[in-house]
Amino acid sequence: MKLIRLVKPVAMTAGGTVAGQLIMLLALPLIAMGYEPEHVGEYNFLFSSGYLLACLLCFRLELGILKEREEDALLAYRICNRIALMSLLFLFCLMLLFSQRTRSDFLYILFLGAFWHLVAIGHYLSVRRRYLTLSIIRIVPPLLFIIMLAYSVFFEIHIPIFDLHTISWGLFVVFFCFFILIDGGWNDGGINYALCRSYFQKHRMLFFYQLPADLLCDISRFVIPLLIPFFYGNHAAGLYMIASKLLFFPLTLLSTSLGVVFRREAIAVFNKKVQFLVIFRSVLVLLFVVMMLYVAGSYFFVRSVIQLLFSEVWSDAIDIAMALIPSVAMSIMYETLSHVFFILNRQHYHLMVYGTIFLLVILIVIASNYFGIVFLDSLYLISWSIFIIQLIGVVFCCRCVNTHVKAYGENDLDVLPIQTEK
């Protein structure tokens, strides 16, 4: 069956993703050992804000790489790279004019470029179906990071965590971009303004719909770590970071393995209604099973894991983790299934879901601060609100897919054959 095509690429990307995320998971006890919650909270704020700014570098036009043919993937990557570098240059000029031009400012610019390039390279490799290489880029940057982190902690150098993260990613991206140029050749033709303009016109809907939808998605995801330092202090932000990193571990695995493969394979069978429906329903069932296992495992094991890996200083992270379980559980389903909005050009549903989440989080935080509601109670309200909204989002996903399948008529489901993998 067509579904068999998903098994091997998911296994390959999941292997690299699991290894990379396990490395980052092992980094958490090192971070807790060598840094105070206040330092961890500052790192989480810088990472979250940098993530949001990195999404603006190419105005989400890098998603157009996924819609290009394999032979055009490298050209699309190079065009997006040119646009992103121009955006970085603009931000760099603003930094020179308005900031104090410290080492941290330069590293922040480097982080933006490194993060964006890792995403764009991942899209390029996904189009080329080079899933083994894709798994490598999930492993090497975390490995460099944990090596540098261990050196800083054990030798008591106390280099800021954000600086270590940025340098490790930056080194990897520089070397990998060099190998991409070698792989694609040096004589692929120049990239001029007309070519960039043509690419922008071709994928302008990404700018008008996908950019605001993704920004609201990312802002809603990171609005909590961005607001916590202002309303509850860096200590609470550090505890939140440790708890959220542990809980979001399965979600990250799915979004960077199953999510990537699901999106690419669904695009490939976009006009083959039965195959598209089979892939969607199979992923839906798989995600539901994973979500149920995740909820059961979290309530049973999270407390023990935090007590085992972290000292008493971080014990309050247990309560925070328990509060986050509902929202993370539903995110496991929604984050992967929401790729159908991108595939079917229904990004306005994605925009509605995360726009509602964003507004509710802001209202809950402001109201909690006004009425004196403690941080943990506010977090429970936020978590269950996200659960309900994303559940509605999953329903929207199913409705969009059903509408797409029925567009060719009810009889098509009977006459279109399901091709097997040869």
Side-chain angles (χ1 to χ4, degrees), residues 57-292:
L57 288 184
C58 201
F59 313 106
R60 303 311 287 163
L61 292 175
E62 71 273 10
L63 289 173
I65 300 172
L66 292 170
K67 293 191 173 183
E68 295 289 342
R69 296 176 297 177
E70 289 191 27
E71 56 269 24
D72 298 328
L74 180 61
L75 178 61
Y77 167 75
R78 292 175 62 200
I79 293 174
C80 290
N81 187 37
R82 186 70 59 88
I83 297 172
L85 286 176
M86 292 299 296
S87 301
L88 275 176
L89 180 61
F90 175 73
L91 292 175
F92 182 75
C93 293
L94 289 180
M95 183 196 71
L96 293 178
L97 290 174
F98 299 106
S99 76
Q100 297 178 350
R101 296 187 291 276
T102 63
R103 181 193 66 182
S104 299
D105 294 332
F106 288 100
L107 286 175
Y108 196 77
I109 296 293
L110 176 61
F111 173 83
L112 298 181
F115 183 89
W116 180 87
H117 276 88
L118 282 175
V119 173
I121 290 169
H123 293 339
Y124 165 74
L125 295 174
S126 177
V127 173
R128 297 288 301 273
R129 289 182 169 86
R130 295 173 61 173
Y131 296 116
L132 180 60
T133 310
L134 183 60
S135 67
I136 291 174
I137 73 170
R138 310 294 188 198
I139 298 175
V140 178
L143 187 60
L144 290 174
F145 171 66
I146 198 171
I147 291 172
M148 298 173 69
L149 178 65
Y151 182 83
S152 174
V153 171
F154 290 131
F155 289 93
E156 298 183 352
I157 303 177
H158 300 299
I159 301 174
I161 311 171
F162 185 78
D163 295 358
L164 295 173
H165 206 153
T166 300
I167 294 171
S168 60
W169 283 15
L171 287 174
F172 176 80
V173 166
V174 168
F175 285 109
F176 202 89
C177 286
F178 176 75
F179 286 117
I180 282 183
L181 287 175
I182 294 177
D183 177 65
W186 295 92
N187 299 314
D188 290 332
I191 299 177
N192 52 36
Y193 171 77
L195 194 58
C196 292
R197 184 173 180 271
S198 174
Y199 183 84
F200 181 87
Q201 288 288 337
K202 182 179 180 181
H203 299 292
R204 63 186 181 276
M205 299 305 291
L206 295 174
F207 176 79
F208 290 114
Y209 289 103
Q210 195 68 37
L211 175 62
D214 283 351
L215 277 181
L216 270 179
C217 167
D218 295 329
I219 290 173
S220 302
R221 185 183 303 162
F222 288 105
V223 67
I224 301 177
L226 290 175
L227 291 177
I228 289 175
F230 293 103
F231 289 92
Y232 304 101
N234 280 332
H235 183 84
L239 295 173
Y240 175 86
M241 182 230 172
I242 294 297
S244 61
K245 290 294 183 183
L246 285 173
L247 287 178
F248 275 96
F249 174 66
L251 176 60
T252 307
L253 293 182
L254 288 171
S255 62
T256 52
S257 56
L258 178 60
V260 170
V261 177
F262 167 63
R263 179 169 57 186
R264 183 58 197 167
E265 296 300 326
I267 289 174
V269 297
F270 173 76
N271 292 318
K272 300 176 182 178
K273 308 302 179 180
V274 171
Q275 289 92 326
F276 185 85
L277 186 62
V278 167
I279 290 176
F280 176 79
R281 288 179 175 175
S282 301
V283 172
L284 176 65
V285 172
L286 175 62
L287 290 172
F288 180 77
V289 173
V290 171
M291 183 184 71
M292 292 294 100

